[in-house]
């Protein structure tokens, strides 16, 4: 198409979940509760780990950083979705859409790399227990966290560099509740087949291969646990099982969305909800319910707050 004849789109319209006002208000209440739980749960983990000296270990340092990522990742899409439930017209500017894509993939990519860091931490804890604190010292932990953020940044920049040159001349209807690459490519006024292939290679194959590597890593770790004593083996197995649950909750929806041609399927919105809204809420619940040290630390924090309020 001749770019001189194109009328550039300045904003996009989300279709959301429903046009029924009563249903939209009900969904607003449900997802407001979910987002509030997400914020409170992840903040509770951050405060508990920071305030309790017994949790100043590499594993909990990483868990606190995962809580930060979960809180930020949920905040990229959920607040806008909540506002749109109460709005007649669900719009977002072109610049806002590109910004949402950048932060979405920055934090999503960061999560993928960060879960790899947590798997490495468990591997060192089980294979080298006597040298664990020495190997996973503060400098190494901080370096691994920074590397995960840098990995997410590079991944996100690649997405944005491929998206920004695309012309959008209409229609401007996004059948979703947030901006993401698959829906945007369908609206571009040019052939995007090559770009779609590059995006699938960058995002889809990344999460698929990474997921398989993580599953293999945790399988190796679980096999290594055979040499541990009974109580230590049960504790380590419980921690690894928790990690596998979280990894599966994040990676399986991402594989469904990004490791296939970017055509629309009826389940797309439900799957998107699962890893953009629900998983950041479930992560702190899973980690606290299956972790006795976290539960004990939260009880100590609660008692301290009660005593402080009485003074």
């Amino acid at each position: 198409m001749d770019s001189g004849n194109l009328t550039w789109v300045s904003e996009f319209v989300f279709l959301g979940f429903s046009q029924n006002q009563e249903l939209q208000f009900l969904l607003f209440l449900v997802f407001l509760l979910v987002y509030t739980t997400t914020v409170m749960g992840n903040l509770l983990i951050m405060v508990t780990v920071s305030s309790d000296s017994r949790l100043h270990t590499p594993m909990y340092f990483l868990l606190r950083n995962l809580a930060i990522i979960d809180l930020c990742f949920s905040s990229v899409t959920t607040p806008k979705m909540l506002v749109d439930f109460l709005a007649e017209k669900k719009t977002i500017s072109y610049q806002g859409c590109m910004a949402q894509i950048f932060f979405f993939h920055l934090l999503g990519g960061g999560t993928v790399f960060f879960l790899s860091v947590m798997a490495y931490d468990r591997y060192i804890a089980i294979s080298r227990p006597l040298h664990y604190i020495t190997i996973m010292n503060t400098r190494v932990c901080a370096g691994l966290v920074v590397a995960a953020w840098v990995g997410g940044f590079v991944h996100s920049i690649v997405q944005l560099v491929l998206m920004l040159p695309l012309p959008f001349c209409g229609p401007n209807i996004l059948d979703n509740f947030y901006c993401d690459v698959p829906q945007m490519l369908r609206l571009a006024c040019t052939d995007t087949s090559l770009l779609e292939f590059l995006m699938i290679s960058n995002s889809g194959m990344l999460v698929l291969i990474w997921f398989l590597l993580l599953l293999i890593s945790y399988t190796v770790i679980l096999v290594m646990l055979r040499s541990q004593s009974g109580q230590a083996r049960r504790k380590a197995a419980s921690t690894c099982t928790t990690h596998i649950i979280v990894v599966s909750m994040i990676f399986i929806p991402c594989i469904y969305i990004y490791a296939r041609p970017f055509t629309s399927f009826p389940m797309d919105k439900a799957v998107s909800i699962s890893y953009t809204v629900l998983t950041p809420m479930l992560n702190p619940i899973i980690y606290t319910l299956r972790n006795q040290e976290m539960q004990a630390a939260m009880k100590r924090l609660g008692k301290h707050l009660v005593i402080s309020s009485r003074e």
Side-chain angles (χ1 to χ4, degrees):
M1 293 182 67
D2 181 6
S3 60
N5 295 328
L6 295 181
T7 302
W8 296 96
V9 169
S10 60
E11 67 176 17
F12 297 95
V13 179
F14 295 131
L15 287 184
F17 297 95
S18 172
Q19 301 303 315
N20 184 287
Q21 290 187 346
E22 289 78 10
L23 179 57
Q24 288 193 81
F25 184 71
L26 177 61
L27 290 173
F28 168 79
L29 295 177
V30 170
F31 287 116
L32 178 62
L33 176 62
V34 169
Y35 183 60
T36 303
T37 305
T38 301
V39 173
M40 298 303 295
N42 284 292
L43 283 177
L44 181 59
I45 287 179
M46 292 156 56
V47 171
T48 303
V49 173
S50 299
S51 62
D52 196 314
S53 59
R54 301 181 198 183
L55 300 184
H56 291 176
T57 62
M59 186 180 81
Y60 291 105
F61 172 79
L62 297 176
L63 180 57
R64 179 178 60 185
N65 280 276
L66 179 62
I68 294 171
I69 292 180
D70 278 338
L71 179 57
C72 295
F73 183 64
S74 179
S75 298
V76 171
T77 57
T78 310
K80 171 62 176 168
M81 178 183 69
L82 291 173
V83 170
D84 285 343
F85 278 134
L86 304 179
E88 285 190 23
K89 195 174 182 183
K90 306 169 178 58
T91 61
I92 186 171
S93 67
Y94 172 82
Q95 292 82 1
C97 200
M98 292 298 114
Q100 195 173 57
I101 288 174
F102 171 76
F103 286 108
F104 185 82
H105 284 274
L106 166 67
L107 294 159
T111 301
V112 167
F113 294 115
F114 197 79
L115 291 173
S116 306
V117 171
M118 296 183 76
Y120 175 72
D121 169 74
R122 289 300 86 205
Y123 173 77
I124 297 297
I126 292 168
S127 65
R128 305 284 298 276
L130 298 178
H131 303 91
Y132 172 61
I133 298 299
T134 304
I135 296 172
M136 296 296 292
N137 56 60
T138 303
R139 180 178 296 180
V140 170
C141 287
L144 290 172
V145 169
V146 170
W149 280 100
V150 170
F153 178 79
V154 172
H155 165 72
S156 183
I157 283 295
V158 170
Q159 304 292 308
L160 209 59
V161 166
L162 293 174
M163 288 293 298
L164 285 175
L166 291 178
F168 296 96
C169 54
N172 66 337
I173 307 297
L174 285 170
D175 188 13
N176 209 346
F177 59 95
Y178 66 98
C179 292
D180 199 9
V181 171
Q183 295 82 20
M184 295 295 291
L185 285 184
R186 290 199 289 268
L187 295 184
C189 301
T190 186
D191 180 18
T192 59
S193 53
L194 177 59
L195 194 56
E196 181 177 330
F197 173 77
L198 293 174
M199 293 288 192
I200 293 173
S201 302
N202 179 264
S203 296
M205 297 311 297
L206 171 69
V207 293
L208 178 59
I209 294 172
W210 223 264
F211 180 56
L212 294 176
L213 289 176
L214 283 174
L215 288 183
I216 293 171
S217 300
Y218 279 114
T219 301
V220 171
I221 292 171
L222 291 173
V223 170
M224 291 170 58
L225 287 176
R226 292 180 178 181
S227 61
Q228 300 279 345
S229 62
Q231 185 175 357
R233 181 171 64 234
R234 283 193 298 271
K235 182 178 178 181
S238 177
T239 302
C240 289
T241 303
T242 300
H243 287 201
I244 292 171
I245 292 171
V246 171
V247 164
S248 301
M249 284 169 44
I250 292 173
F251 276 83
I252 291 175
C254 289
I255 292 169
Y256 172 84
I257 294 292
Y258 299 110
R260 61 172 175 81
F262 292 161
T263 51
S264 181
F265 287 95
M267 285 292 293
D268 286 357
K269 289 181 187 178
V271 173
S272 295
I273 277 288
S274 71
Y275 79 96
T276 59
V277 180
L278 298 181
T279 299
M281 177 194 70
L282 294 174
N283 281 354
I285 296 174
I286 292 170
Y287 279 113
T288 53
L289 286 179
R290 297 183 61 87
N291 191 310
Q292 293 181 353
E293 290 179 337
M294 278 296 297
Q295 292 175 20
M298 288 178 179
K299 289 178 182 178
R300 289 193 294 270
L301 177 63
K303 290 178 181 178
H304 175 74
L305 293 175
V306 170
I307 293 172
S308 299
S309 64
R310 290 176 180 176
E311 293 178 352

